[in-house]
Amino acid sequence: MDWTWFHKFGSPPHVYRLAGVLTPWFAWPAVAAILAGLYGGLVLAPPDYQQGDGFRIIYVHAPSAWLSVMIYATMAAAAFVGLVWRMKVAHAVAASCAGIGAWFTAVSLVTGMLWGKPMWGTYWVWDPRLTAQLILLLLFFGYMALRAGIDDLGRADRASAVLAVVGLVNVPIIRFSVDWWNSIHQAPSVMKLGRPTMPMDMLVPLLLMLLGFTLYFAAVLMVRLRAEVLRRERNASWLKEAVL
Amino acid sequence: MSEFLAMGGYAQFLWPAYALALLALVVNVVVARRALQAARAEVARRLAMQDGAGE
Amino acid sequence: MNTLSLSNWHVFRGERQVLRGVGFDLQGGRCLQVLGDNGSGKTTLLRSIAGLVPREAGELRWCGAVPADEGQFHADLGYLGHDPPLKADLDARENLAFALRVRRPVVAGEIDAALARVGAQAYADRPVRTLSAGQRRRIAFAALLCFRVPLWLLDEPTTNLDAAGIALLRELMDECLARGGLVVTATHQDLGLDPRRLDRLALAVLR
Amino acid sequence: MNTLSLSNWHVFRGERQVLRGVGFDLQGGRCLQVLGDNGSGKTTLLRSIAGLVPREAGELRWCGAVPADEGQFHADLGYLGHDPPLKADLDARENLAFALRVRRPVVAGEIDAALARVGAQAYADRPVRTLSAGQRRRIAFAALLCFRVPLWLLDEPTTNLDAAGIALLRELMDECLARGGLVVTATHQDLGLDPRRLDRLALAVLR
Amino acid sequence: MTPQPRTSALAAASAVLQRDLVLALRRPSQLLQPLAFFVVVTLLFPLGYTPELAKLRSIAPGVLWVGALLASVLALDSLFRDDAADGTLEQFVLAGQPLAALLFAKTAAHWLLTGLPLALMAPVTGIALGVPIEAMPGILCALCIGTVTLSLIGAIGAGLTLGVRRGGVLSSLLTLPLSVPVLVFGARATELAITGGSPSGALYLLAALMVLGLTLAPLAAAAAVRIGLE
Amino acid sequence: MTPQPRTSALAAASAVLQRDLVLALRRPSQLLQPLAFFVVVTLLFPLGYTPELAKLRSIAPGVLWVGALLASVLALDSLFRDDAADGTLEQFVLAGQPLAALLFAKTAAHWLLTGLPLALMAPVTGIALGVPIEAMPGILCALCIGTVTLSLIGAIGAGLTLGVRRGGVLSSLLTLPLSVPVLVFGARATELAITGGSPSGALYLLAALMVLGLTLAPLAAAAAVRIGLE
Ligand code: HEM
Ligand SMILES: Nc1ncnc2c1ncn2[C@@H]1O[C@H](COP(=O)(O)OP(=O)(O)OP(=O)(O)O)[C@@H](O)[C@H]1O
Ligand SMILES: Nc1ncnc2c1ncn2[C@@H]1O[C@H](COP(=O)(O)OP(=O)(O)OP(=O)(O)O)[C@@H](O)[C@H]1O
Ligand SMILES: [Mg+2]
Ligand SMILES: [Mg+2]
C-alpha cells in the first residue's frame, strides 16, 4: 500500500494550498443550493395540511440539526487521527470544527424552540431529542472551554482531542439513554410530522438545503483550516510563498 | 408580498428562525475570513521580523 | 556499559523554541553538567530527556539503542526536579516506601539505610509537612538512592542544601558514577566533582 | 535611623522548640546573615520576625519601639520566602502592579524601572507560568524593589539564580543598605557583601 | 528611605477585587462557564426525575438552591488555595492592610463570578423547569441574597481548610450546617414565589443572615487564614 | 548497577491504592465533605417540596442520583490536583509502569472513599425520602455500579483540567454531560426498585456502562494526565 498520499495529506503546505483551491468549489455550489432550497421551501412548497406555513421552519431547522451532528462526528474523527498519528493538520481540522458546530447546534435548538411554540404551545419540553441536542451543545461548549483554558496550542490540541474522542464514544450512548429515559414516561409524541411521506415539492427543497448546508460547512471549514494551519506553523519556509 | 411575509400567521416564529439561520451562516463566514486574515498578518509580521533579524 | 546520547534535539515550550539542535554523548561513570543562564533551557532539557516535555525532533539512545519501551527507560532513570516529590502528610519512611513500591518490591532495611545515608534518621518519622526545605531535599535524595537506577537527572540539586548537604550530594554522585552510573545535572554552583569525570554542556538563551 | 532588635526570642513549631532565646541588634545600613545547618530554624526566624509564625516569647523593636500597630511594621518590611509569590496566570507587570496596589498607589513608570533593574524586560509581558525558575526569582526581586521598604527579609535568595543573578542580588542588597535599609537573609552561599556591613547570626539545630 | 504612603484599606481591597476579576476573566470563555454549569445542573433533574413541567415546577426551589450550593462549594474550595500555594496570601498578611478587608474582597470577587451569574441565570433555568415568569423577581432576589451568605460562609471554610490539621474536619462540618439555614429560607422564599405567596418574610430572614455573615465572616476568615498559613 | 526487578503493574497499582487510602484517612475532612454534601442535598428536597412521604417517594430516585452525581463531581475535582502539585504524578509517569494502571488505582481509591460511602449512605437518606426497605438492595446495587462509572468518567475530566485554572468548574462541565447515561439508567433502576418492579434490566445497562468505562477511562485518563503535566 502506498502511504505517500497520507503523508502528503498531513503536510501543512499541501493542505493549505489544497484548502485554498477547494474553497470556491464548495462555496459556490453551497450558495446555489441554499438559494434554490430557500426559494423552493418558502415559495414553491405548498403549506402543510396540518401546520400551514409554520412547517417551513424545517428548511432551516433540519439542515442545522443535521449539520450539528455531522460536525461533531467530523471533529471527533479528526481529533482521533490527530491523537493517534500525531498529525497536526488533523488537530487543526478538529479545532476549526468546534465553533461552527456550536453555532449550528444552537441554531437547531432555537429554531426548534421557535417551531415548538406554535406546534406544542410551549418553547421547551423535555423531549429526548431536544435534550440530546442540548447535551450536544454542552459538549461543544465543554470542548471549546477546555481549549480556551489551555495556553499551549499543542497541549490544547491533544487534551481537547481526548475529550472529543471520549465524547464520540459517549454521544451514541447519551442518545440511546435519553431516548430510553423518556420512553418510560409518557412521551410528548408531538415530534412526528404526522405523515409518513413528504410530497416531492416539500422534500426536494429540504434535500437542497441539506446539501447546501453541508457544502457551506465544507467551505467554511476550509477557510478556518487555512487559518489554523498558518497559526500552527512556526517558522516553516513555505510560509513566505503562502502569505504572498 | 405581505401575504408572503405573514406566512399564514406564523411570521413571528418563522422569520426569526430564518434570521437566526442566516445570521449563523454569515457570522461563520465572517469569523473564518477574519481568522485567516489575522493569521496571514501574523505570519507576515513574523517573516518581516525574521528578515530584519537576519540582516 | 550504560551510555546516553542525544542528537539533534529540538524542543518548544508553547510557541517558543527553547532547545535547538542540542546533542551529547555521555558514557557510564561520567557526569554531564548542563550550564547556562536563567532561562536557557536546562530544566527543559532534563524534562524532555525524561519524556515529561515532548520534543519536536531528536533522537535519544540509551545503552546504544532507541528505547523500544518508554517504561523500561523510565525504570532506569531517576528525575529530581525543582521541588522534592513528597507527600506532605506522610512521613519520610512512608514516602519512600510508596515511591519505591510503585517501581519494585521493597527489600527489608533498605529504606532505613538510605535515610541514614543522607542523615535523615532524626526526622524520618515526622510528616514531611513539618520539615525544613533542606530536610525535604535530603529525603528526596534518599528516594533516589533507593531507586538504584543507573541514570540520574538532577535539576539544581544543591537548592536549599547547607554545606554538609552539598558535600553529601557530591559523595552520592561520586558513588553513582563509580558504580558506572550517569548523572545529568543542571546547576549554577560548582559541585567540586572530579574534573576527569565531568562533561560540560553549555546552553544559551535562544533569540 | 532604622534599627531592628530582637531579644529572647522563643519559637515553637508544633511541639518542637526551634528557636531558644535568640536575639540580635541590627543597625540601619547593615545586613544580618543568618547561618545554620538545614533545619536549624533560619526560615522559622525570618517568618516569626514577619509575624507569619507566632512566637512563644520574645520582644521585637523596630526603630527603637515595639510596633504598636502590626500593620505599620508590615508596611515597612518586604519578605521573600522559598517560592516567589507570583500569580502564574498574570504577567510580570500585572503581578507587580497588583502586589504594589495592595500596599500603596502606583507611580507611573516605577514598575518598568524595577523590571529593567533586574533585567526582566524581555519577558515582562509573558504569563509567569511560562517563565523559568530563575526568571521568576528576578521578578520577585523587582516586586521587592518596588515596595521601597527599609527592611528586607530574604530566605535563601540565591536559589535558582545564575552567576549574573547573584551579582545582581548583591548589588540590590548593597543599594538597599546604602539607602540605610536593613537586610536579614538566610543563605548557605556566600554573597560577597562588604564584610564591614555584615553581621552574622549562627543558629544550631536544637536537641 | 522615606516612609511610604499607605493606601486605604478600601483601595487595597479594590485592588484585590480587581486582580481576582482579571484573573478569572483572562479568558472570555470563563464568563460562559457558570452559565453552562447551571444549565448542566438543571438538566440533571428532568433526566433523573421526570420531564413533566408541572411536576418539575414543584422541585424547582430545590434544584435552584442545590445548584447554588454546589457552585459555591465547588468554586470556594479553591478560593484561597491558589493564593496560599503561590505565596500571595502571605503577601496579603504582610501588606500592612487589614487582612479581613482583603479577604472580603476575594469573597466578593468570588460572588460576582459565581453567585451573581447563578442568580441571573435563574430565569432561564426557571423557565426550563416550568416556573411562572411572575415568580422570577422573588427568586432572583432570594438567590442574590442567599448566595452572598453562601460565599461568606464558604470563605470561612476555605480559610479553615488551609491549615489542614486543625481545620480539616471542622471546615466541612462547619460550613455545610451553617449553610443549611440559607438553603431552608432560600428554598422557602422560592417556593412561595412560585406558588404565588409573598416571599418577603423568608427574604427578610435571608437578608438577616446575610448581614450577620457580612459582619462576622471576614473576621473569622482572616483568623482562619492566619492560623492556616503558619 | 544490576537491572532492577520491576514489580508488576498490579503490585504497583495496589501500592498506589494503599497510599491514597492512607492519605485520605489522615485527612478525614476529605472523606466527610462529599458525604455531607450528599446528605444536605438529599435532605434539602423534602424541605422545599413537601413533607408527604408518598410524594417524596416519587422524587427519591432523581434526588438520590443527582445527589450522587454532584457529590462525586465535587470530590473528583481534587483527584489528581494534589499529586500534580507536589510532583508525585510526575513520578508516576516516570515509574516505568503503565500510567493507566496507576491512575486506575487512584480512581479506585476515590471510589472507595466517596462512591461506596455514598451508596452505603443511601438507605439512610432513602428512608428520609420514604423509600420502602425492600427497595434498598436494588438501590444500593445501582448506586454502587453507577458511582464506579461516575468516578471513571470524572477521572478523565480531572486529568484533562490538570493545568487549567478554576479547573473544578470546567471539569464538572466536561463530565456532567458525559454522565447523563449513568443518571438515566440509575434513576430508572431506582425507580423500578421503589415501585416494586424488577430493576435488573436497568442494572445490566449500568453494568455495561461500567465495563465500558473500566476498559476505556483509564487509558483516556492516562493520556489526559500526560498532556496535563507537560
Ligand atoms: C428545541 C427544539 C428542537 C430541537 C432541539 C430539535 C432537534 C432536532 C434534531 C437533533 C433533529 C435531527 C437531525 C438529524 O439527526 O439529522 C431534528 C430534525 C427534525 N426536527 Fe427537530 N428539534 C426541535 C423541535 C422541532 C419541532 C417543534 C418540530 C416540528 C414539529 C421538529 C421537526 C423536525 C423535523 C421534521 C426534522 C427532520 C426530519 C428528521 O430528521 O427526522 N423539530 N430536530
Ligand atoms: N510553558 C512555557 N511556555 C513558554 N515558554 C516557556 C515555558 N516554560 C519555560 N519557557 C521558557 O523556556 C526557557 C527555558 O526555560 P527553563 O525552565 O528550561 O530554563 P532553565 O535553564 O531551567 O532556567 P533556570 O536557571 O531559571 O531554572 C525560558 O526562557 C522560559 O521562559
Ligand atoms: N510545621 C512544623 N511542625 C513541626 N516542626 C517544624 C515545622 N516546620 C519546621 N519544623 C522544624 O523546625 C526546624 C526549623 O525549620 P526551618 O524551616 O526554620 O529550618 P531552616 O533553617 O530554614 O532549614 P533549611 O536550611 O533546610 O531551609 C526544623 O527542624 C523543622 O523540622
Ligand atoms: Mg530550571
Ligand atoms: Mg529554610
Side-chain angles (χ1 to χ4, degrees):
Chain A
M1 173 118 195
D2 180 18
W3 282 95
T4 47
W5 65 272
F6 188 77
H7 292 296
K8 199 171 173 197
F9 200 75
S11 101
H14 183 250
V15 166
Y16 183 84
R17 237 174 286 120
L18 185 66
V21 170
L22 285 180
T23 308
W25 290 94
F26 289 132
W28 293 116
V31 171
I34 290 177
L35 287 180
L38 276 182
Y39 184 72
L42 286 175
V43 181
L44 296 184
D48 185 70
Y49 76 101
Q50 266 186 340
Q51 310 188 1
D53 284 322
F55 95 98
R56 293 184 204 276
I57 293 183
I58 198 176
Y59 296 116
V60 287
H61 170 72
S64 42
W66 145 253
L67 208 54
S68 65
V69 177
M70 210 235 350
I71 295 179
Y72 191 88
T74 312
M75 180 178 90
F80 181 78
V81 172
L83 208 55
V84 173
W85 286 286
R86 295 181 168 268
M87 225 166 106
K88 278 191 199 157
V89 169
H91 284 306
V93 171
S96 317
C97 284
I100 315 175
W103 259 101
F104 282 94
T105 316
V107 169
S108 76
L109 269 171
V110 175
T111 54
M113 286 170 74
L114 286 168
W115 199 355
K117 185 64 179 174
M119 292 306 128
W120 311 332
T122 167
Y123 282 111
W124 185 260
V125 291
W126 289 102
D127 167 272
R129 205 172 206 181
L130 313 198
T131 308
Q133 193 72 354
L134 182 60
I135 296 173
L136 184 66
L137 184 64
L138 291 168
L139 288 175
F140 273 122
F141 277 166
Y143 179 92
M144 283 156 65
L146 181 63
R147 229 173 212 298
I150 303 175
D151 281 336
D152 185 326
L153 200 59
R155 266 184 62 201
D157 274 346
R158 276 169 295 137
S160 57
V162 171
L163 181 68
V165 172
V166 171
L168 188 63
V169 177
N170 222 11
V171 162
I173 302 177
I174 292 175
R175 193 55 201 256
F176 159 68
S177 73
V178 170
D179 282 344
W180 205 69
W181 154 64
N182 219 9
S183 68
I184 58 179
H185 303 280
Q186 54 277 48
S189 68
V190 259
M191 202 56 187
K192 298 162 192 117
L193 261 186
R195 221 179 20 254
T197 56
M198 221 187 249
M200 279 310 272
D201 42 5
M202 283 187 183
L203 186 62
V204 170
L206 181 59
L207 292 178
L208 276 173
M209 287 302 268
L210 284 174
L211 178 72
F213 269 56
T214 312
L215 288 171
Y216 165 87
F217 164 62
V220 173
L221 180 66
M222 289 302 122
V223 179
R224 284 207 155 193
L225 178 61
R226 296 181 83 199
E228 286 289 335
V229 166
L230 282 190
R231 228 154 60 85
R232 265 150 237 259
E233 276 314 295
R234 299 188 242 240
N235 41 17
S237 46
W238 62 272
L239 284 179
K240 197 166 271 178
E241 309 149 39
V243 217
L244 302 179
Chain B
M1 188 62 196
S2 69
E3 196 189 329
F4 174 74
L5 287 180
M7 272 295 155
Y10 289 103
Q12 54 165 322
F13 305 110
L14 192 124
W15 292 124
Y18 274 78
L20 180 74
L22 187 69
L23 181 74
L25 293 174
V26 171
V27 164
N28 274 297
V29 169
V30 170
V31 166
R33 297 184 64 150
R34 284 249 179 95
L36 183 56
Q37 273 158 16
R40 278 188 168 146
E42 170 67 20
V43 168
R45 195 183 61 79
R46 252 184 343 207
L47 286 177
M49 241 172 59
Q50 267 173 21
D51 289 350
E55 279 153 20
Chain C
M1 192 173 70
N2 297 316
T3 57
L4 177 70
S5 62
L6 248 63
S7 55
N8 201 26
W9 205 251
H10 290 264
V11 181
F12 283 74
R13 304 297 305 262
E15 297 298 290
R16 187 177 314 274
Q17 180 152 24
V18 175
L19 299 177
R20 185 178 296 153
V22 172
F24 61 80
D25 278 289
L26 192 66
Q27 305 293 315
R30 297 190 66 83
C31 169
L32 179 74
Q33 190 165 9
V34 184
L35 301 167
D37 292 345
N38 287 141
S40 56
K42 302 179 292 302
T43 300
T44 304
L45 177 62
L46 295 191
R47 289 178 69 84
S48 60
I49 293 176
L52 292 170
V53 167
R55 58 181 185 266
E56 191 82 3
E59 198 188 60
L60 180 149
R61 296 180 159 268
W62 173 236
C63 301
V66 177
D69 169 14
E70 197 179 34
Q72 185 58 55
F73 178 57
H74 281 158
D76 278 346
L77 74 81
Y79 169 81
L80 204 54
H82 281 297
D83 292 310
L86 303 170
K87 281 270 134 204
D89 283 326
L90 299 178
D91 68 30
R93 243 183 278 279
E94 290 167 327
N95 261 299
L96 258 62
F98 284 121
L100 206 45
R101 283 177 49 201
V102 172
R103 296 176 150 248
R104 60 172 180 76
V106 180
V107 180
E110 67 172 327
I111 286 178
D112 283 313
L115 286 170
R117 182 72 189 85
V118 299
Q121 313 97 313
Y123 40 87
D125 46 10
R126 279 163 52 192
V128 166
R129 188 174 358 86
T130 69
L131 300 185
S132 81
Q135 290 168 337
R136 287 178 211 200
R137 277 260 147 202
R138 280 166 201 256
I139 290 167
F141 287 131
L144 193 62
L145 282 184
C146 278
F147 287 174
R148 295 178 200 287
V149 285
L151 174 60
W152 288 2
L153 305 177
L154 309 179
D155 198 357
E156 311 207 20
T158 58
T159 308
N160 301 128
L161 289 181
D162 56 16
I166 292 180
L168 169 74
L169 173 65
R170 185 171 46 238
E171 282 170 35
L172 296 181
M173 285 170 72
D174 270 337
E175 286 167 21
C176 170
L177 298 179
R179 260 174 297 155
L182 290 77
V183 180
V184 182
T185 173
T187 163
H188 300 292
Q189 219 172 324
D190 189 36
L191 284 170
L193 282 176
D194 180 353
R196 283 163 307 171
R197 306 201 131 179
L198 210 57
D199 291 345
R200 285 212 163 77
L201 176 70
L203 298 178
V205 182
L206 292 190
R207 216 161 312 166
Chain D
M1 192 174 71
N2 297 316
T3 58
L4 176 70
S5 61
L6 248 63
S7 55
N8 200 27
W9 205 253
H10 290 265
V11 181
F12 283 71
R13 303 299 302 264
E15 297 298 292
R16 185 178 317 275
Q17 180 152 25
V18 176
L19 299 176
R20 186 179 294 152
V22 172
F24 62 80
D25 278 289
L26 190 65
Q27 304 295 314
R30 295 190 67 82
C31 169
L32 178 73
Q33 189 165 10
V34 184
L35 301 167
D37 291 344
N38 287 141
S40 55
K42 303 179 293 300
T43 300
T44 305
L45 177 62
L46 295 191
R47 289 178 70 85
S48 61
I49 293 176
L52 291 170
V53 167
R55 56 183 187 266
E56 194 77 6
E59 197 186 59
L60 179 149
R61 295 182 160 267
W62 173 238
C63 301
V66 177
D69 168 15
E70 197 180 34
Q72 185 58 57
F73 179 55
H74 281 159
D76 279 345
L77 74 82
Y79 170 81
L80 204 53
H82 282 296
D83 290 311
L86 303 171
K87 281 269 130 203
D89 284 316
L90 298 178
D91 67 30
R93 244 182 276 279
E94 291 166 327
N95 261 299
L96 260 62
F98 284 119
L100 207 46
R101 282 178 50 199
V102 173
R103 298 176 148 247
R104 61 171 179 78
V106 180
V107 180
E110 66 173 327
I111 287 178
D112 284 311
L115 286 170
R117 182 73 189 83
V118 300
Q121 311 98 314
Y123 40 87
D125 45 11
R126 277 163 53 191
V128 166
R129 188 174 357 87
T130 68
L131 299 185
S132 81
Q135 289 169 335
R136 287 178 212 201
R137 277 261 147 202
R138 281 165 201 257
I139 290 166
F141 288 130
L144 194 62
L145 283 183
C146 277
F147 287 175
R148 295 179 198 287
V149 285
L151 174 60
W152 287 3
L153 305 177
L154 307 181
D155 198 355
E156 311 207 21
T158 58
T159 308
N160 300 129
L161 289 182
D162 56 17
I166 293 179
L168 169 74
L169 173 65
R170 184 170 49 236
E171 282 170 36
L172 295 181
M173 287 171 71
D174 271 338
E175 285 166 22
C176 170
L177 298 178
R179 260 174 298 156
L182 291 76
V183 180
V184 181
T185 174
T187 163
H188 300 292
Q189 216 173 327
D190 189 36
L191 283 171
L193 282 176
D194 179 354
R196 283 163 307 172
R197 305 200 134 180
L198 209 59
D199 291 346
R200 285 211 165 76
L201 176 70
L203 299 178
V205 183
L206 292 189
R207 216 162 313 165
Chain E
M1 200 118 317
T2 51
Q4 290 295 305
R6 260 206 283 177
T7 40
S8 66
L10 194 69
S14 86
V16 172
L17 177 69
Q18 197 188 330
R19 190 202 64 149
D20 271 24
L21 294 180
V22 166
L23 268 173
L25 302 184
R26 176 93 329 159
R27 300 153 209 256
S29 79
Q30 290 210 326
L31 278 175
L32 279 174
Q33 272 182 35
L35 190 149
F37 177 74
F38 302 128
V39 173
V40 178
V41 172
T42 328
L43 171 77
L44 298 179
F45 285 87
L47 284 170
Y49 177 42
T50 169
E52 284 167 67
L53 287 183
K55 286 188 180 173
L56 283 174
R57 187 173 309 143
S58 64
I59 61 161
V63 174
L64 289 171
W65 283 93
V66 167
L69 179 66
L70 179 75
S72 68
V73 173
L74 255 184
L76 273 164
D77 179 39
S78 64
L79 181 57
F80 301 137
R81 196 191 336 104
D82 289 349
D83 278 353
D86 63 21
T88 314
L89 215 48
E90 232 165 68
Q91 295 293 330
F92 281 180
V93 174
L94 299 176
Q97 301 285 358
L99 184 59
L102 303 186
L103 297 187
F104 178 69
K106 277 193 73 66
T107 316
H110 171 266
W111 179 76
L112 286 175
L113 292 167
T114 57
L116 187 61
L118 176 129
L120 296 179
M121 269 312 278
V124 178
T125 46
I127 285 173
L129 297 171
V131 172
I133 302 281
E134 307 81 58
M136 294 305 169
I139 295 179
L140 224 151
C141 204
L143 276 171
C144 276
I145 303 176
T147 48
V148 170
T149 321
L150 288 180
S151 291
L152 288 165
I153 296 170
I156 306 178
L160 285 173
T161 30
L162 282 183
V164 199
R165 280 269 146 252
R166 270 150 293 227
V169 190
L170 260 176
S171 83
S172 46
L173 288 187
L174 203 74
T175 51
L176 276 175
L178 276 179
S179 33
V180 166
V182 180
L183 296 178
V184 171
F185 296 135
R188 179 84 187 125
T190 310
E191 194 199 337
L192 285 171
I194 291 175
T195 54
S198 155
S200 48
L203 285 181
Y204 283 136
L205 286 170
L206 270 184
L209 285 177
M210 178 178 77
V211 171
L212 191 71
L214 284 173
T215 45
L216 293 184
L219 297 175
V225 163
R226 264 180 223 279
I227 296 168
L229 277 186
E230 260 173 38
Chain F
M1 197 114 321
T2 52
Q4 291 294 304
R6 261 205 282 178
T7 39
S8 65
L10 195 68
S14 86
V16 171
L17 176 68
Q18 196 188 331
R19 192 203 63 149
D20 269 25
L21 295 180
V22 168
L23 271 172
L25 297 178
R26 298 251 160 112
R27 285 190 182 202
S29 77
Q30 285 189 340
L31 284 178
L32 278 172
Q33 208 200 17
L35 216 55
F37 182 83
F38 180 65
V39 172
V40 170
V41 166
T42 41
L43 297 187
L44 186 63
F45 280 90
L47 285 175
Y49 183 44
T50 169
E52 284 169 63
L53 283 186
K55 281 191 182 174
L56 280 178
R57 193 169 306 145
S58 71
I59 64 164
V63 169
L64 285 174
W65 277 92
V66 172
L69 195 59
L70 296 183
S72 115
V73 162
L74 186 65
L76 275 163
D77 176 35
S78 64
L79 180 57
F80 299 135
R81 198 194 330 105
D82 289 349
D83 278 353
D86 63 21
T88 314
L89 215 47
E90 232 164 68
Q91 295 293 330
F92 281 0
V93 173
L94 299 177
Q97 301 285 357
L99 183 59
L102 305 184
L103 297 187
F104 177 69
K106 279 195 71 67
T107 316
H110 173 266
W111 179 77
L112 287 174
L113 294 166
T114 57
L116 187 62
L118 225 104
L120 297 178
M121 201 59 196
V124 180
T125 47
I127 285 171
L129 294 170
V131 173
I133 302 282
E134 308 82 59
M136 293 305 170
I139 296 179
L140 226 151
C141 199
L143 274 170
C144 276
I145 301 177
T147 47
V148 169
T149 320
L150 293 181
S151 290
L152 289 165
I153 297 174
I156 305 176
L160 284 174
T161 51
L162 257 187
V164 181
R165 184 170 15 86
R166 298 225 298 157
V169 178
L170 182 57
S171 76
S172 62
L173 198 63
L174 301 183
T175 48
L176 283 177
L178 294 177
S179 319
V180 161
V182 180
L183 176 67
V184 169
F185 297 137
R188 176 75 178 136
T190 308
E191 195 196 336
L192 287 171
I194 291 176
T195 54
S198 154
S200 50
L203 285 180
Y204 283 137
L205 284 170
L206 270 183
L209 286 180
M210 180 179 75
V211 171
L212 188 72
L214 285 172
T215 46
L216 292 185
L219 296 175
V225 163
R226 264 180 222 279
I227 296 163
L229 278 185
E230 262 172 37

